[in-house]
Amino acid sequence: MRKIGLILNLATVLLVIGSTPGSAQAFGDAIAGREIAAAWCAGCHRISAQDRDVNRVPPDFGAIARMPSMTELALRVFLQTPHGKMPRYQFSPKEMDDIVAYVLGLGKQ
């Protein structure tokens, strides 16, 4: 019984370590995400990695990606929550994965 508890604790630790920033990305296609951003978001946002004006409204994707508080979960929640003048897009789960992969990838460039 003690071995099972130890194994479960180890599995939990490995799960937490695997989900921390810097771990391998397990979702989305950043190239497809850029295509979606170019089609739906570029009318208002600048979407390239070089765009980093945090004071711009709406903010650049590069600036969003570099916000200290930006995580996968934060971005997903933000994209699914009505805010400001942003249209309420209904992205499929795959599209959401791709957009999140693209935006978060900008923070690594």
Side-chain angles (χ1 to χ4, degrees):
M1 189 67 158
R2 186 174 172 167
K3 281 186 178 181
I4 293 174
L6 191 58
I7 291 170
L8 289 175
N9 285 338
L10 179 59
T12 302
V13 168
L14 292 174
L15 180 63
V16 169
I17 291 171
S19 65
T20 58
S23 64
Q25 183 175 306
F27 59 90
D29 175 350
I31 294 170
R34 184 177 193 334
E35 292 173 5
I36 295 166
W40 293 100
C41 309
C44 298
H45 294 272
R46 292 188 296 197
I47 62 168
S48 75
Q50 296 84 344
D51 297 327
R52 299 179 186 172
D53 182 356
V54 294
N55 297 314
R56 186 174 188 280
V57 178
D60 306 324
F61 278 13
I64 291 169
R66 287 172 180 77
M67 290 178 177
S69 62
M70 190 51 58
T71 64
E72 175 191 351
L73 179 60
L75 185 54
R76 287 178 187 278
V77 169
F78 187 77
L79 289 171
Q80 295 177 51
T81 305
H83 51 278
K85 295 181 181 179
M86 184 172 153
R88 187 111 193 254
Y89 296 122
Q90 297 293 315
F91 298 112
S92 72
K94 180 178 179 346
E95 289 170 328
M96 181 67 73
D97 287 348
D98 296 346
I99 293 166
V100 170
Y102 175 64
V103 172
L104 294 182
L106 296 175
K108 299 174 185 173
Q109 295 180 0

